[in-house]
């Protein structure tokens, strides 16, 4: 029996010391998973312990690192975004500006790289930029400038983007000449190679082919055969293939473009993969092999259908497919690709407000619609499509008109509300209400006393209490509900519910005007902030009192602030 107890004791001790070993040191926990490949979910068996430990200890620096690792090892885009949101939350709790820079950059990367939502990405980068103005961490500052440059490049501001990438190159190159830890060397080298690749893209679009070729040669030399920079090398080989296509060296171009394909696919960068397919197709066209080229142009259409995204330089892809359909007298495909091109134009005009108008459009919208009408006259099915399109267009016009009218009403109501706010600010001290002695009503001195109590109740914002009722307020003010109800009805412009609603909505409206942080809150949070339990009740009361829905008010207020308003 003694031996058995001793064995149990030893086992418990062993498990205890093992758990202490596992949880005592963040470094040892990360050591268990940090060398796994990106998107490898096996990391989470250790990573969850890391995050749990950081939460428990309120170690926000480690918590940010844990969520950052969550982004890296998550295989699904939506999971990456969730961890990015958590990372921003943890960074906010830390009040550490460098952690805030890291968190906003990483969230921006998810929007840009995984979703291709450029405006959202740029918002995050600009948020990081605000925090980076006074940081002593030069790496973070230039990392953010790089990502701003990437978005500028995608939007067509190639000269501005090239300046940012050139500045990044100078910084990273300077750092690589100093004595660094291997991890720092890796990060700076990555930054250098990525900046060089983005600069190559700018050179290509600016027609600076000599500079582009020199940068490609430099990139291939710097990346070498290191397995750490396989993706970067793939991008340089892709750029080399595009350059060879420009020189009409189609066989060399195809060779390099095919070599770069595996690393581009593995990177999950569907935008660059589309570019790769496009120039493979164009190279086959240059060799008069239209049949093979069409295979790759159709691959781009598949990517577009999946991600609803296409680069402006790939617009020609649909022009080629339309011409091929015409040549083969395939009206169905011609109609389909015409629709795809119209959809692509719509997306590009939204995301690329600067670049899209500059693209030479052989198939502008008017021509495309005329082509569509000719095709639709050829058979009954196409006629039906025309009618549906007309109905759709009329519906859009009606919807647009309705929205314009609503937007105008919202703007007018917002202006009225803003004027009211300004007026309230100018006359903060409200005059005491005039007490009239009425037959059968309360004595003047008692009314005055209760009105003073109500004024104190308003000043202390007692109205934001949850579940506040007439009886409860009467108890707090040391009176009875009947007495209180009568005073409120006669001196506050309505019954108790109307009085309470007015106070709460005026309170939250003032907060939305005065403190921009409240503009980031959702409706449920705003409702709770002013003591209203129901989201719908809050929205209805806000509309009833202010003449505008809270969501519309917040949009208008944010627009005003973005345009330089107070």
């Amino acid at each position: 029996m003694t031996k058995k107890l001793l064995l149990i004791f030893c086992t418990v001790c062993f498990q205890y010391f093992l758990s202490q070993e596992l949880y005592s040191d963040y470094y040892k926990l990360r050591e268990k998973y940090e060398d796994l490949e990106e998107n490898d979910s096996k990391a989470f068996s250790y990573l969850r312990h890391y995050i749990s430990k950081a939460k428990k200890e309120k170690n926000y620096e480690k918590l940010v690192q844990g969520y950052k690792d969550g982004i890296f090892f998550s295989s699904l885009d939506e999971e990456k975004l969730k961890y990015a949101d958590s990372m921003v939350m943890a960074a906010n709790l830390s009040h550490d500006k460098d952690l805030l820079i890291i968190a906003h950059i990483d969230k921006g990367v998810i929007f840009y790289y995984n979703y291709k939502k450029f405006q959202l990405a740029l918002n995050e980068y600009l948020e990081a930029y605000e925090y980076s103005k006074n940081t002593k961490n030069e790496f973070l500052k230039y990392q953010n400038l790089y990502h701003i440059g990437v978005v500028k490049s995608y939007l067509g501001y190639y000269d501005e983007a090239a300046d940012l990438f050139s500045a990044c190159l100078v910084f990273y190159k300077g750092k690589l000449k100093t004595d660094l830890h291997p991890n720092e060397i890796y990060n700076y080298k990555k930054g250098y190679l990525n900046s060089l690749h983005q600069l190559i893209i700018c050179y290509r679009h600016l027609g600076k082919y000599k500079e582009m070729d020199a940068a490609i040669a430099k990139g291939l030399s710097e990346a070498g055969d290191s397995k750490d920079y396989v993706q970067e090398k793939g991008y340089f080989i892709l750029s080399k293939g595009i350059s060879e296509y420009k020189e009409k060296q189609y066989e060399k171009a195809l060779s390099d473009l095919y070599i770069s394909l595996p690393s581009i696919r593995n990177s999950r960068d569907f935008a660059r993969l589309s570019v790769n397919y496009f120039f493979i197709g164009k190279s086959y066209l240059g060799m008069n092999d239209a049949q093979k080229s069409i295979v790759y142009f159709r691959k781009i259409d598949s990517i577009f259908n999946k991600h609803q995204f296409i680069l402006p330089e790939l617009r020609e892809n649909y022009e080629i497919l339309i011409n091929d359909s015409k040549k083969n007298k395939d009206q169905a495909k011609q109609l389909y690709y015409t629709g795809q091109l119209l959809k692509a134009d719509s997306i590009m005009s939204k995301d690329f407000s600067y670049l899209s108008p500059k693209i030479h459009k052989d198939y502008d919208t008017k021509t495309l619609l005329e082509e569509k009408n000719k095709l639709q006259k050829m058979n009954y099915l196409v006629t039906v499509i025309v009618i549906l399109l007309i109905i759709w267009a009329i519906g859009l016009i009606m919807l647009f008109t309705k929205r314009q009218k609503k937007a105008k009403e919202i703007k007018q109501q917002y202006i009225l509300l803003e004027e009211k706010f300004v007026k309230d600010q100018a006359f903060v001290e409200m005059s005491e209400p005039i007490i009239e002695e009425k037959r059968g009503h309360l004595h003047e001195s008692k009314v005055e006393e209760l009105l003073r109590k109500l004024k104190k109740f308003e000043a202390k914002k007692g109205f934001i209490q949850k579940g506040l009722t007439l009886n409860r307020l009467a108890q707090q003010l040391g009176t009875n509900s009947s007495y209180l109800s009568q005073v409120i009805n006669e001196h506050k412009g309505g019954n108790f519910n109307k009085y309470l609603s007015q106070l709460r909505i005026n309170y939250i409206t003032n907060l939305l005007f005065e403190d921009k942080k409240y503009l980031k809150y959702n409706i449920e949070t705003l409702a709770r902030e002013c003591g209203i339990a129901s989201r719908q009740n809050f929205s209805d009361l806000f509309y009833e009192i202010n003449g505008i829905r809270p969501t519309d008010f917040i949009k208008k207020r944010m627009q005003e602030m973005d345009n330089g308003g107070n």
Side-chain angles (χ1 to χ4, degrees), residues 44 89 188 206 209 232 253 298 304 319 351 406 416 422:
F44 285 93
M89 178 194 69
Y188 285 118
L206 292 169
Y209 299 121
E232 288 73 18
R298 287 174 179 167
F304 176 60
E319 296 174 358
D351 285 339
K406 184 182 177 184
L416 289 173
V422 172

Side-chain angles (χ1 to χ4, degrees), residues 347-509:
I347 291 171
M348 285 188 289
S349 65
K350 180 180 177 182
D351 285 339
F352 298 87
S353 57
Y354 174 81
L355 186 60
S356 187
K358 289 192 168 187
I359 301 171
H360 176 65
K361 295 181 178 179
D362 292 333
Y363 288 85
D364 62 17
T365 304
K366 183 178 178 181
T367 305
L368 288 169
L369 291 172
E370 288 173 357
E371 288 275 334
K372 219 168 191 182
N373 288 334
K374 289 177 185 177
L375 289 168
Q376 289 166 342
K377 290 176 183 177
M378 293 179 183
N379 55 60
Y380 174 76
L381 177 62
V382 179
T383 303
V384 173
I385 294 173
V386 170
I387 295 170
L388 291 174
L389 283 173
I390 292 171
I391 294 171
W392 175 70
I394 293 170
L396 279 180
I397 292 169
M398 290 175 66
L399 181 62
F400 177 76
T401 304
K402 186 177 178 181
R403 284 185 177 177
Q404 286 291 92
K405 184 180 178 182
K406 184 182 177 184
K408 187 176 179 181
E409 291 173 354
I410 288 171
K411 184 177 180 181
Q412 290 173 343
Q413 197 58 44
Y414 177 83
I415 291 169
L416 289 173
L417 191 56
E418 189 173 33
E419 288 173 354
K420 178 180 177 293
F421 171 74
V422 172
K423 190 180 293 182
D424 289 345
Q425 291 294 97
F427 300 98
V428 175
E429 292 297 326
M430 300 297 292
S431 60
E432 292 289 340
I434 298 171
I435 311 301
E436 296 182 5
E437 186 69 48
K438 297 183 182 179
R439 190 173 52 146
H441 286 215
L442 301 169
H443 192 274
E444 182 180 352
S445 61
K446 291 183 178 180
V447 172
E448 288 178 344
E449 181 185 359
L450 187 51
L451 285 173
R452 281 193 293 272
K453 288 181 178 181
L454 284 172
K455 188 173 182 180
K456 188 175 181 181
F457 161 75
E458 293 168 11
K460 290 188 174 182
K461 300 177 180 57
F463 49 82
I464 66 174
Q465 299 174 57
K466 292 180 182 178
L468 186 62
T469 63
L470 179 64
N471 288 333
R472 188 172 169 187
L473 180 57
Q475 289 176 2
Q476 291 177 12
L477 300 182
T479 185
N480 63 67
S481 58
S482 178
Y483 183 14
L484 178 61
S485 176
Q486 190 174 338
V487 170
I488 288 173
N489 274 307
E490 291 181 7
H491 298 281
K492 294 298 182 178
N495 62 25
F496 172 75
N497 287 334
K498 183 177 179 182
Y499 166 65
L500 188 61
S501 298
Q502 190 82 41
L503 287 173
R504 287 171 168 175
I505 296 302
N506 287 346
Y507 168 70
I508 202 67
T509 304

